[in-house]
Amino acid sequence: MAKEQNLLLVTEHYPCGFQEAFLESEIDYLARLYNVHIITTDTDKLTIRSVPRGVTFSRPAEQTHGLGRQFIRFQCLLSNGYKQERRQAKKAGRWGKAVRKQTLDALVESRLLYNYVRELDIFQDERPLTIYSANMNNGLYGLCCLKQFSDNIRVVARCHRANMQDPVTGKRRDTLNHIINDRVDALYFTNTQRLETYQKQFCAREPDEVLEKLRLAPLGVPGPLKKRRPAPDEYLLRVVSCSPIEPDKRLDLLIEGIAGMEQGCLEWVHIGDGSDRKRILALAHQKLDSKPGIRYHFLGPFSREELYSWYAENPVDVLLSVSRSESVPAAMLEAMANHIFVAATAVDGVTDVVDGESGLLLPPDPTAEQLSRFLEALCGMNKELFQQKSELAYRTWEAAFSAERNCVRFVRELAGLPVPDLPASDPPADEPSEETAPAAAEAPAADSAV
């Protein structure tokens, strides 16, 4: 049965690479109400994540370079958008060489995206179209300009902390905010703090009709496939990390921290893959292979279903993240949904989901020695305390981050449908008893050392 509305989902990576994991939850709900087509501005990485049946996907085959790009840049220099941004930046005392270049770069990216979308079949369809940008980035203004072709086109976007300021330097990021504020239909934020930050930094002089476009839409992930088997009461600390193997995830720091432990026994499992895999594996072999009381395994990338199955079948004490930046901590929410508490560096969006009650927060830039002492303390922690923390983590997910609540509300609001008050998530239907719970599966031997 054909759906009455179309949705164009514009991403920076998804379904390529391992980023924008929050879309793995949203896409299932979007596909229930919309005819969905995905485009991504990532033209390099392979498509590695599956999408629901009926969802289509494409991306620009190549970028415009050379004289073609210079001509577009010249057009943008004469555009009304450039004039508006220049006027606003001068009024705010921000106009200069760097802002001028940044504005032109953003306008060029917007024009290229605008040109690409105009040729898509979904754009030619007469049904109402919602354009949903997963990030407030340089291409969003171009998407907003597409509204001139029909009154049945709406443009909305999510604005994350990383879209407002650089996660490492904290420097303000401007992405044609003034003209986007004027043209976009809605900007969605994951919590009140993010919304208020945007309002203060980018809407100080905006009229009330712009402020009404700023809305809340917390993220959500699905609940567990089945009840997790609790970790056995033993001396071994079982740690899992789940992330792309990229420099900003600081797995080298985690390895140095494990290597520096002077007491305690630990098993570390990492789930994920990435460009830094070869270096991180070599470092792990060098630092950990001969370390007494330490075992580690690199399991590679998992789909969400594989990840949830692994969580259900393997004892885990804590999910640990020492990432330098974490705008949308979907992996942490997935662990909490599976009764695993989280210990993480207090960076970016981590503090949106992890606190000192349901989890543990580390300094944003811990040293390897600090991490070693922290891991030793966890090794000495009573298993009952782990279970208490894990239950609090699950309750936090259930109350604030359930996909059945948050994703349903968000998607129905996009579609202009009534948003029901949903009850708390029900527990998994197939909760095995201790007698029937499956035995813990051993980690694969590949890329492992004991």
Side-chain angles (χ1 to χ4, degrees), residues 1-114:
M1 179 178 176
K3 299 180 177 72
E4 296 180 357
Q5 299 189 55
N6 292 329
L7 183 131
L8 177 64
L9 174 59
V10 183
T11 77
E12 292 181 351
H13 305 283
Y14 179 86
C16 306
F18 302 99
Q19 295 167 294
E20 297 174 319
F22 70 95
L23 291 173
E24 294 185 24
S25 296
E26 290 186 354
I27 191 66
D28 289 329
Y29 295 90
L30 291 167
R32 296 177 191 179
L33 292 180
Y34 287 100
N35 172 42
V36 180
H37 181 82
I38 305 172
I39 63 172
T40 179
T41 54
D42 189 339
T43 58
D44 298 323
K45 294 186 177 67
L46 296 175
T47 305
I48 62 171
R49 289 181 280 188
S50 60
V51 297
R53 183 185 300 273
V55 172
T56 54
F57 167 66
S58 68
R59 55 180 163 176
E62 60 183 21
Q63 297 288 342
T64 302
H65 297 288
L67 290 177
R69 194 176 186 92
Q70 288 302 316
F71 179 70
I72 291 175
R73 193 175 185 86
F74 179 72
Q75 288 181 314
C76 292
L77 186 62
L78 302 177
S79 68
N80 288 328
Y82 179 79
K83 294 174 184 177
Q84 283 183 264
E85 275 296 289
R86 180 179 61 187
R87 188 183 309 118
Q88 185 70 11
K90 283 184 175 181
K91 192 180 296 184
R94 296 188 300 101
W95 190 251
K97 184 177 180 181
V99 175
R100 176 180 179 274
K101 180 181 183 302
Q102 183 181 27
T103 299
L104 276 174
D105 288 344
L107 286 169
V108 169
E109 289 187 41
S110 282
R111 170 60 68 171
L112 292 171
L113 188 58
Y114 170 94

Side-chain angles (χ1 to χ4, degrees), residues 206-402:
E206 300 287 15
D208 290 344
E209 52 263 33
V210 167
L211 301 183
E212 291 173 359
K213 299 176 182 180
L214 310 184
R215 302 175 186 175
L216 287 176
L219 300 177
V221 299
L225 297 177
K226 52 187 175 181
K227 188 174 181 179
R228 268 190 71 239
R229 189 178 179 193
D233 188 8
E234 58 184 356
Y235 64 88
L236 181 67
L237 175 68
R238 300 179 186 274
V239 177
V240 65
S241 54
C242 183
S243 72
I245 305 181
E246 302 293 344
D248 68 313
K249 300 307 176 185
R250 296 194 290 201
L251 294 179
D252 48 357
L253 174 63
L254 179 52
I255 291 171
E256 294 287 354
I258 295 172
M261 292 175 61
E262 297 175 358
Q263 57 184 345
C265 296
L266 179 147
E267 181 176 46
W268 168 43
V269 173
H270 181 77
I271 298 170
D273 203 352
S275 64
D276 213 22
R277 177 186 176 88
K278 184 176 180 180
R279 182 180 73 88
I280 291 299
L281 277 175
L283 183 65
H285 287 311
Q286 176 190 347
K287 296 284 187 177
L288 304 181
D289 279 4
S290 59
K291 180 74 178 175
I294 301 299
R295 296 184 298 191
Y296 68 91
H297 315 274
F298 287 85
L299 303 189
F302 281 1
S303 67
R304 174 173 284 159
E305 184 176 355
E306 291 169 334
L307 176 66
Y308 275 37
S309 293
W310 191 88
Y311 280 155
E313 296 165 2
N314 292 270
V316 176
D317 291 312
V318 59
L319 181 136
L320 178 60
S321 170
V322 295
S323 179
R324 180 179 291 110
S325 61
E326 199 73 53
S327 182
V328 185
M332 299 180 193
L333 293 179
E334 291 166 345
M336 293 163 68
N338 283 276
H339 295 265
I340 300 169
F341 95 90
V342 176
T345 45
V347 297
D348 296 346
V350 170
T351 53
D352 294 347
V353 302
V354 179
D355 58 29
E357 183 177 359
S358 62
L360 291 172
L361 290 173
L362 298 168
D365 291 298
T367 64
E369 183 179 358
Q370 288 175 322
L371 196 54
S372 298
R373 305 292 82 81
F374 175 74
L375 290 170
E376 289 172 354
L378 287 182
C379 285
M381 200 164 111
N382 189 294
K383 291 293 182 178
E384 290 184 2
L385 292 179
F386 281 105
Q387 293 175 14
Q388 292 172 12
K389 284 278 190 184
S390 298
E391 183 60 28
L392 286 172
Y394 175 79
R395 290 178 184 174
T396 298
W397 163 81
E398 186 179 39
F401 302 109
S402 164

Side-chain angles (χ1 to χ4, degrees), residues 414-448:
L414 285 190
L417 298 173
V419 179
D421 291 326
L422 297 174
S425 301
D426 293 328
D430 55 341
E431 295 187 356
S433 64
E434 291 186 6
E435 291 76 19
T436 61
E442 294 189 7
D447 291 330
S448 66

